[in-house]
Amino acid sequence: VADWYEIIDVTSLSTTTKICGKEEVVNQVDSIEISKDETDISGITENYVAKIDLEDYLPDGVSVYNQDSRIFTINVDVEKLIIKKYKLDPDNITLTNIPSKYKARILNDEITIQIKALEEYQDLFDVNKITAVVDLTGAKKGTGTYSLKISMSDEYTLAQTVTVKVRVYTSGNAEIESEKAEKNTSSTEGTTNDEVETETESESESSTLEDEI
């Protein structure tokens, strides 16, 4: 099938048929092999029906006994896959192979993952039931970006690579304070600028009053 589509059902009216002809020839027919071209569904984006004349695949002198079953029909039902975004709680992610004598923690407040599946399975998806792991094998002290490995049932696939920001540190207050400072850098810088401007304006007012006196 085409990309983003999945086969959801394949049916046929029957898988056996009666044939007739000369006994010595009929006895040599154990099965009917249909050409792959007859059942090629590459690139289809909608339900497909194949109608195959079985007598095209029988030896000379042999025919289908019941002509009503001469045409073999195959129905292939397909459905489009869809992508949905889900918010994964960092607390539900397991950090493995943390370097000896170090600790590690995820710095992201939340992580967005994109899941590809049939719509009926999307309705049943529970992001809290997946297994999410970050392997820190070979990680160095400090902050780095690591791939997130997600395990889930076969009905679902991850639509894109997901990474998380992880800090590897030694246990100690200095490391914890450094981590907090890194997460709050942007807001702290904004507050500092406002305070400087306020103080500057106050100093200007004081200078004006002194001049008037």
Side-chain angles (χ1 to χ4, degrees), residues 93-98 104-106 132-136 164 166:
I93 298 174
T94 302
L95 300 176
T96 63
N97 298 314
I98 299 172
R105 62 185 301 162
I106 295 172
V133 176
V134 174
D135 187 354
L136 295 177
V164 295
V166 179

Side-chain angles (χ1 to χ4, degrees), residues 5-189:
Y5 284 83
E6 186 172 297
I7 297 173
I8 58 173
D9 194 23
V10 178
T11 58
S12 60
L13 295 179
S14 66
T15 56
T16 60
T17 190
K18 291 182 179 180
I19 58 175
C20 59
K22 293 183 178 180
E23 183 177 359
E24 60 271 20
V25 180
V26 169
N27 288 339
Q28 295 177 4
V29 180
D30 295 324
S31 62
I32 301 175
E33 295 185 8
I34 298 172
S35 169
K36 291 183 179 179
D37 292 338
E38 296 268 24
T39 56
D40 184 8
I41 56 174
S42 301
I44 66 170
T45 58
E46 57 186 15
N47 294 343
Y48 174 81
V49 178
K51 293 184 178 294
I52 302 161
D53 187 344
L54 295 179
E55 291 196 352
D56 289 343
Y57 296 94
L58 291 174
D60 292 339
V62 178
S63 60
V64 175
Y65 179 75
N66 184 350
Q67 288 296 297
D68 290 339
S69 61
R70 173 176 170 174
I71 303 301
F72 182 64
T73 303
I74 301 175
N75 298 287
V76 181
D77 296 336
V78 298
E79 188 174 319
K80 188 172 184 178
L81 297 166
I82 62 174
I83 287 179
K84 283 191 176 182
K85 294 181 179 180
Y86 299 90
K87 298 295 184 182
L88 177 62
D89 188 339
D91 290 340
N92 292 336
I93 298 174
T94 302
L95 300 176
T96 63
N97 298 314
I98 299 172
S100 177
K101 299 181 181 179
Y102 285 94
K103 293 185 177 181
R105 62 185 301 162
I106 295 172
L107 299 182
N108 306 69
D109 291 328
E110 64 178 23
I111 295 130
T112 300
I113 62 173
Q114 296 187 31
I115 300 299
K116 181 167 65 173
L118 297 174
E119 186 172 7
E120 62 183 294
Y121 292 120
Q122 292 283 14
D123 294 338
L124 301 173
F125 186 74
D126 186 349
V127 70
N128 295 314
K129 291 184 178 180
I130 65 175
T131 301
V133 176
V134 174
D135 187 354
L136 295 177
T137 300
K140 304 291 185 180
K141 180 181 177 181
T143 301
T145 301
Y146 300 87
S147 295
L148 180 66
K149 183 178 180 181
I150 294 178
S151 299
M152 46 197 167
S153 59
D154 293 339
E155 292 83 8
Y156 306 97
T157 56
L158 198 59
Q160 66 178 64
T161 301
V162 181
T163 59
V164 295
K165 196 173 183 181
V166 179
R167 184 172 185 81
V168 178
Y169 62 96
T170 55
S171 57
N173 292 332
E175 293 285 350
I176 296 173
E177 291 301 323
S178 175
E179 179 184 321
K180 290 180 179 178
E182 183 175 339
K183 294 181 71 174
N184 298 320
T185 297
S186 298
S187 59
T188 303
E189 288 176 352

